[in-house]
Every structure is written in structure tokens, then in C-alpha cells.
Amino acid sequence: MPFREDPGQRENDRYCSLCFRDGKLCYEGTDLREFQNIAYEGMLARGMNKYLAMFYAWLIRFAPRWKK
């Protein structure tokens, strides 16, 4: 999600408040698609437009966490 739309207080310059809390990444798994689905469902639950949520979920692959 764009940082300007972050609903919480960010603790890290590279991640939103939903991905990074208490000094660590919230999702500890290694499956990108699984995390994209979790994020997509979370965005829908917060009332985001489904097409925008799909786009933001797709962008997750470019986050530092998934670059390897």
C-alpha cells in the first residue's frame, strides 16, 4: 500500500505498519503468493476497491522482503 494510506504508525522506512510491527515482519513464511492473498483479503476487509487491492497485492513482489 502507498505509505500515505497507511492506517497505522510505521516503525520502519521500508514497510507499512501492517507488515512490520514490534521490530519484525509480521509474515514469517516464505510463500509470496500466500502473503499476497493474505494482504489482498486484508485490504478488501478494510473496504478497499478490489481492483486497487489486486494491484497493491501484485506490487508486494517488489518489496525488499521478497527480493532475493
Side-chain angles (χ1 to χ4, degrees), residues 4-67:
R4 71 179 181 281
E5 295 181 25
D6 194 336
Q9 187 69 20
R10 289 179 41 221
E11 296 179 21
N12 186 289
D13 293 343
R14 301 173 94 183
Y15 299 100
C16 74
S17 64
L18 300 175
C19 291
F20 193 91
R21 275 186 245 140
D22 300 324
K24 64 179 184 169
L25 291 168
C26 296
Y27 179 75
E28 295 180 1
T30 59
D31 186 345
L32 171 61
R33 290 188 192 268
E34 178 182 31
F35 181 65
Q36 286 174 312
N37 287 330
I38 291 168
Y40 174 74
E41 294 298 327
M43 288 182 265
L44 290 181
R46 287 179 171 75
M48 185 177 285
N49 172 292
K50 74 176 185 176
Y51 297 108
L52 197 53
M54 276 193 261
F55 176 67
Y56 290 150
W58 176 78
L59 285 176
I60 289 171
R61 72 182 60 243
F62 301 106
R65 158 74 170 90
W66 300 105
K67 287 186 178 184

